[in-house]
Amino acid sequence: MSDEKAASRRDFLKLAATAAPAAAVAAVAGGTAEAAAPETATSGLRKTEHVEKYLESARF
């Protein structure tokens, strides 16, 4: 194997190793961002759907 061929293979593998994670980050960051709903500072249990189902199943 010639040195030029070995060098180009190494360069390709280096590029592939850095390009794949960069492409994954770009794909994730490319989506539209949604604002998170502000949390209200309340004490106690929040009445979400799964909490309601649990409370219904726990009744005697």
Side-chain angles (χ1 to χ4, degrees), residues 1-57:
M1 191 183 286
S2 69
D3 289 336
E4 186 177 313
K5 224 180 207 181
S8 66
R9 181 180 288 172
R10 276 193 302 257
D11 292 339
F12 171 75
L13 292 174
K14 286 180 191 176
L15 178 64
T18 57
V25 169
V28 171
T32 58
E34 294 183 23
E39 297 227 3
T40 57
T42 60
S43 62
L45 196 61
R46 284 183 271 171
K47 300 282 184 163
T48 60
E49 183 180 350
H50 70 279
V51 170
E52 291 289 332
K53 286 182 181 179
Y54 171 74
L55 292 174
E56 286 178 19
S57 70

